[in-house]
Amino acid sequence: MSLSAEYCSGKMGDRGGGGHGALAHQSRLIRGLLVWATLLTVGLGTLTALHFIHRESSPPSKLQNLGYVNQADIKETTLMVFSPDWKDSDKVKLLKWKTVRPDFIEGKEKESLMVKKDGQYFLYLQVTLHPQEKENHTITVQSEKRQVILKGLINGSKLSTIFMANGIPLDSNDTLHVTCHPEAKIQTSHTETYLGVIKLSST
């Protein structure tokens, strides 16, 4: 929007060189802009709050937020988390896991996990060694039918934790097991060592 020369002259005035009138006019413009900016900020804040309130009332899948699945796949997505079934003081080579609620995967004599349904799966694993362990250790997740799924090295002299993840198709009656070579003391806290399997879709 442009202002005519007559309007500007009338508003700012020519008295005393017009300096005071020009400053007063600029002050009014600045105040107007500040009011508009405040109103826009309040409006944006209100819309943001309403958006999060709506999301909390019907929260989407965490997997959707991570981009692992599409909206159409959410109903089929299931998560299972397994906790260590050994003591911190034990030297372990084959990691055994507790299954709280068997679903599409269940424990098989605690030495391995058996897949009950064909499908696409996302596996993730974190292993944390005891602080006394200073050697290098290899952590491996293996499938009886598909061999090695995940494999990583912990450099004991530099770090004690490794995190790995991979998406893979698995067949029913296939078994999974996790090994540590050489055997080591592995922390059992749920924040340090855990295994999770996400069923993305059926095949």
Side-chain angles (χ1 to χ4, degrees), residues 51-71:
H51 173 70
F52 281 105
I53 290 172
H54 176 69
R55 287 184 63 187
E56 289 177 1
S57 62
S58 56
S61 167
K62 292 182 179 179
L63 297 175
Q64 182 188 11
N65 293 338
L66 293 173
Y68 292 138
V69 293
N70 296 323
Q71 181 71 29

Side-chain angles (χ1 to χ4, degrees), residues 107-118:
K108 187 179 180 182
E109 299 177 355
K110 295 184 179 180
E111 295 182 357
S112 60
L113 301 173
M114 186 175 70
V115 181
K116 296 173 62 178
K117 300 176 183 178
D118 295 347

Side-chain angles (χ1 to χ4, degrees), residues 91-109:
K91 283 263 189 179
V92 294
K93 182 175 182 180
L94 178 62
L95 282 64
K96 301 179 181 180
W97 304 94
K98 295 178 184 176
T99 306
V100 178
R101 182 181 60 83
D103 193 342
F104 53 87
I105 290 181
E106 65 180 1
K108 187 179 180 182
E109 299 177 355

Side-chain angles (χ1 to χ4, degrees), residues 9 25 32 38 64 70-71 74 81 86 88 107 114 121 124 133 184 198 203:
S9 176
H25 181 63
T38 301
Q64 182 188 11
N70 296 323
Q71 181 71 29
I74 290 176
V81 178
W86 63 86
D88 285 339
M114 186 175 70
Y121 294 87
Y124 61 92
E133 298 288 349
I198 300 167
T203 56

